[in-house]
Amino acid sequence: MKIALFTETYVPDINGVAMHVKTLRLGLEAMGHEVLVICADKHCKHHYIQDGVLRCPSIEVKRFYGFGAAAPYSRRRLKLVREFGPDIIHIHHEFGIGLSGIMYAKLYKKPLVYTLHTMYDDYVAYVTGGAFLGAARKISHKYERFIARRATVLTGPSRKCGEYFRRIGVEKEVNVIPNSADLELFDYAKISNAQKAGLREKLNIPENRTAACWAGRMGKEKSVDTLLEYWAQCFCGDESFHLLLMGDGPCRAELEALAEKLGIRGNVTFTGMIANHDLPPYYAISDVFVSASLSEMNSISMLEGMACGLPVMQRYDELNADQILSGVNGCLFHTAEELESELRKLRRHTPEKLAELKQQVRASVVNRGCTDLAGYMFKVYEKAQSRN
């Protein structure tokens, strides 16, 4: 089968959607399918195909995480996609490139699969600058209905997608396809003790500290401020625990200032942006992945941490509660006190128990690799073909 994946962002961009599309592409190609990725690229001046990726000229949208925005229509783009001759059009975004995919599917009567990756109610503030949020959300919902109603099949990585679509008036079935991680890259067994010791020394995290980590884009919707407040409430002045925050974003300076204000700057490290292929050692020196975000649908960073053997402590979110198996790969917490209790319990584990837990967590995601994602998605493609 020939599959065209339309996305506004792709590697080397560092974000969850870019990694999802890359993982899906690798899995589909491993199954023997032909894949063309069509993506916006703010660094290119003309359309060109290289290594199975059609890169499209775009302008940078600084308010929306610096993504590139491409024009919905391009004769050159249409010609190059037509020459590839896709059997399935799969859009991962709703903007210029996504609209191109919708246009192509309609013009050539091809099945259209649409994956919702983002809960846009949490992001419209970036576009409006924080003003007129009620009106902006109504416009966003109307636009989402427009996209969803043109899709043959809808997918999303969490039950949140179905709830969101129903709330905005879309009654179509949503196929829940969990996100995946690069299990080969994120394998803690490949990181040597010397590497781990060197990185801990570089980051000034003593070996006797229990290190909790978080990775992602530092925006308001990720609730890193809540995590810092919980950390201050639980561990201010306690040198047994360290918080490692990996990533960058519009709120980073504000969050660093908050850590200073809360008096926890000494046991919180902000690493800045880390390329995906450089992340495994940072997970390997950590003991647990923590998150207070309620905006996630199926965090890829969390899955990468689990692939590295990190149990996850996630603030309770009803529609994502089934992603954590308590006692197997992590736990859920409601309050700072519950987070503290679980972290102190983890610290009391023997080295043997910690090693056993790592293996157990890793085993819980062994069916979340690229070929697993591609296999789940291929069934969706067959369903879309049968309905077209």
Side-chain angles (χ1 to χ4, degrees):
M1 185 181 288
K2 289 187 174 184
I3 301 143
L5 306 176
F6 286 75
T7 175
E8 309 296 327
T9 177
Y10 191 62
V11 290
D13 294 349
I14 302 173
N15 59 70
V17 179
M19 291 311 304
H20 174 93
V21 176
K22 177 189 175 184
T23 302
L24 176 58
R25 175 194 176 185
L26 291 174
L28 289 168
E29 289 177 340
M31 292 174 67
H33 303 293
E34 293 183 58
V35 180
L36 178 67
V37 176
I38 300 92
C39 70
D41 189 333
K42 60 193 176 188
H43 302 295
C44 73
K45 302 298 182 184
H46 60 88
H47 289 81
Y48 68 93
I49 294 178
Q50 185 176 46
D51 299 327
V53 181
L54 168 53
R55 298 195 176 270
C56 310
S58 65
I59 59 172
E60 184 177 2
V61 183
K62 291 185 178 179
R63 274 193 174 181
F64 200 67
Y65 282 157
F67 278 13
Y73 175 74
S74 161
R75 185 178 298 176
R76 175 67 175 163
R77 187 186 310 156
L78 189 66
K79 178 177 182 293
L80 291 171
V81 176
R82 186 174 65 244
E83 288 174 354
F84 174 69
D87 303 301
I88 290 284
I89 303 298
H90 186 173
I91 65 171
H92 294 266
H93 282 105
E94 306 78 4
F95 312 115
I97 296 296
L99 291 174
S100 285
I102 293 172
M103 190 183 307
Y104 187 94
K106 183 176 180 181
L107 190 60
Y108 292 99
K109 297 180 173 55
K110 298 297 180 180
L112 176 68
V113 174
Y114 167 38
T115 295
L116 176 70
H117 290 280
T118 304
M119 301 295 289
Y120 285 104
D121 282 2
D122 297 319
Y123 289 80
V124 292
Y126 290 108
V127 179
T128 67
F132 311 110
L133 290 181
R137 287 193 176 110
K138 286 182 181 179
I139 294 170
S140 171
H141 294 170
K142 185 174 181 180
Y143 186 66
E144 279 288 356
R145 287 194 297 271
F146 168 83
I147 302 291
R149 288 170 179 170
R150 279 152 183 78
T152 315
V153 176
L154 299 175
T155 83
S158 162
R159 289 191 296 131
K160 275 188 175 183
C161 296
E163 188 274 338
Y164 172 74
F165 277 128
R166 283 190 295 273
R167 182 158 49 85
I168 67 171
V170 177
E171 298 299 329
K172 287 182 180 178
E173 172 196 13
V174 179
N175 297 265
V176 177
I177 309 293
N179 281 326
S180 297
D182 187 334
L183 299 179
E184 185 174 348
L185 175 63
F186 291 93
D187 183 353
Y188 66 90
K190 294 181 178 180
I191 312 300
S192 70
N193 289 333
Q195 278 181 282
K196 289 187 282 188
L199 184 55
R200 277 216 172 208
E201 183 178 358
K202 175 185 172 183
L203 296 173
N204 196 27
I205 304 175
E207 287 294 331
N208 63 348
R209 284 192 186 179
T210 296
C213 74
W214 173 88
R217 200 178 288 273
M218 293 187 175
K220 288 187 182 298
E221 72 286 349
K222 300 297 185 180
S223 299
V224 181
D225 55 343
T226 300
L227 185 57
L228 288 170
E229 287 163 3
Y230 282 11
W231 203 259
Q233 186 176 330
C234 300
F235 305 115
C236 187
D238 187 340
E239 296 189 354
S240 300
F241 295 88
H242 199 95
L243 181 60
L244 182 63
L245 300 175
M246 301 177 284
D248 209 339
C251 294
R252 180 180 168 187
E254 178 184 324
L255 292 167
E256 289 187 349
L258 177 62
E260 194 76 45
K261 178 182 176 182
L262 292 170
I264 55 173
R265 196 64 181 86
N267 66 346
V268 177
T269 297
F270 291 81
T271 67
M273 186 70 74
I274 301 172
N276 193 254
H277 60 268
D278 292 328
L279 270 173
Y282 289 82
Y283 286 130
I285 66 168
S286 303
D287 300 289
V288 61
F289 187 101
V290 294
S291 176
S293 175
L294 301 178
S295 70
E296 305 293 352
M297 287 201 286
N298 190 217
S299 168
I300 291 177
S301 296
M302 179 188 78
L303 290 171
E304 290 170 347
M306 292 167 79
C308 272
L310 298 185
V312 172
M313 295 183 186
Q314 168 72 55
R315 185 156 64 125
Y316 181 77
D317 180 356
E318 182 180 359
L319 291 174
N320 279 339
D322 59 346
Q323 294 170 8
I324 303 299
L325 303 175
S326 185
V328 176
N329 57 18
C331 65
L332 301 168
F333 63 90
H334 296 78
T335 64
E337 291 81 7
E338 288 182 3
L339 173 62
E340 179 183 12
S341 174
E342 292 296 338
L343 282 168
R344 293 195 183 282
K345 188 187 302 181
L346 181 74
R347 182 171 172 79
R348 290 194 295 269
H349 285 340
T350 63
E352 293 76 19
K353 175 64 175 176
L354 289 172
E356 180 185 330
L357 182 59
K358 273 186 176 291
Q359 292 177 351
Q360 189 172 290
V361 173
R362 167 84 178 181
S364 75
V365 294
V366 290
N367 63 342
R368 302 289 285 276
C370 62
T371 52
D372 300 290
L373 173 63
Y376 298 142
M377 201 63 77
F378 183 69
K379 293 177 182 177
V380 170
Y381 295 158
E382 290 182 316
K383 183 185 293 187
Q385 284 187 318
S386 70
R387 293 180 180 178
N388 192 47

